[in-house]
Amino acid sequence: MKTKVRCGWCEKDDLYRNYHDQEWGNPVYDDATLFEFLILETFQAGLSWHTILKKRENFRVAFDRFDYVKIGGYAEDKVQELLQDAGIIRNQLKIRATISNAQAFMQVQGEFGSFSKYIWQFTGGQPIVNHWQTLKEIPATTPISDAVSKDLKKRGFKFVGTTVVYAHLQATGMVNDHLLSCWKRSS
């Protein structure tokens, strides 16, 4: 049986491999999924993505299945409850940013009709397909991630630096950074 050749970063374990094979780099146009990834990337800042993936289901439960309407209305008692939840990253600034990001997310939806229409405009509505041969070639930021980060911050989003934004663009398939040797390139 032939082994699938994958991007090298995902070979740590099955959790990583499954995420790579089933989600990473697949174009996402659904606002709920875009919001989920935005929140997970926010919590990932300064940590490994593997750490976030291991806690993803805990985040899903703690944050009401990433329902941005509910999250946008969280009161102080919910913040304190989340700070006690050992299943998630208990960072007060990131928890509070999640609430304000949900509110900003809904404002963007109101202005553009959907967050998807807003975010995809930065790539002209199509994935940017890169042609990397090695992981070393993949940048941490790009002029597009710089522009998205700047615009999100202007709109009140927090923890959306250009590196976080670039990871979001990769995860949601706005940027295809699968290596040329990866099986996902031909799927």
Side-chain angles (χ1 to χ4, degrees), residues 154-173:
K154 184 180 80 174
R155 294 174 183 282
F157 286 83
K158 295 176 175 58
F159 284 93
V160 288
T162 187
T163 303
V164 167
V165 167
Y166 193 68
H168 185 262
L169 299 179
Q170 291 173 307
T172 59

Side-chain angles (χ1 to χ4, degrees), residues 19 38 41 62 90 131 136 141 148 155:
Y19 169 69
L38 187 65
E41 295 292 352
R90 296 179 287 181
H131 303 281
K136 290 179 188 175
T141 66
V148 174
R155 294 174 183 282

Side-chain angles (χ1 to χ4, degrees), residues 19-156:
Y19 169 69
H20 170 274
D21 290 356
Q22 297 169 17
E23 292 184 85
W24 192 75
N26 293 341
V28 174
Y29 298 95
D30 171 68
D31 274 11
T33 306
L34 288 167
F35 182 74
E36 176 180 349
F37 274 107
L38 187 65
I39 296 314
L40 292 174
E41 295 292 352
T42 296
F43 276 94
Q44 187 265 329
L47 302 170
S48 77
W49 184 242
H50 192 260
T51 298
I52 300 304
L53 283 180
K54 287 192 304 188
K55 294 179 176 278
R56 188 177 191 180
E57 288 307 314
N58 297 335
F59 275 105
R60 188 170 277 129
V61 171
F63 284 95
D64 293 296
R65 306 202 68 69
F66 300 107
D67 181 333
Y68 47 84
V69 175
K70 282 185 180 177
I71 294 169
Y74 281 177
E76 186 61 28
D77 61 330
K78 181 65 175 184
V79 172
Q80 294 308 314
E81 176 188 317
L82 290 166
L83 286 170
Q84 301 306 310
D85 189 336
I88 65 169
I89 307 300
R90 296 179 287 181
N91 179 304
Q92 184 169 189
L93 292 175
K94 291 178 180 180
I95 290 169
R96 292 186 187 282
T98 298
I99 298 166
S100 63
N101 286 353
Q103 295 163 353
F105 188 88
M106 290 184 287
Q107 289 174 344
V108 167
Q109 285 180 314
E111 183 178 342
F112 290 86
S114 73
F115 187 82
S116 180
K117 284 181 188 172
Y118 161 76
I119 196 83
W120 277 94
Q121 74 178 337
F122 289 94
T123 65
Q126 296 294 318
I128 295 168
V129 180
N130 291 314
H131 303 281
W132 312 120
Q133 293 186 31
T134 68
L135 293 176
K136 290 179 188 175
E137 293 177 80
I138 301 174
T141 66
T142 64
I144 290 176
S145 68
D146 294 346
V148 174
S149 173
K150 183 177 178 181
D151 198 71
L152 286 171
K153 288 176 183 177
K154 184 180 80 174
R155 294 174 183 282

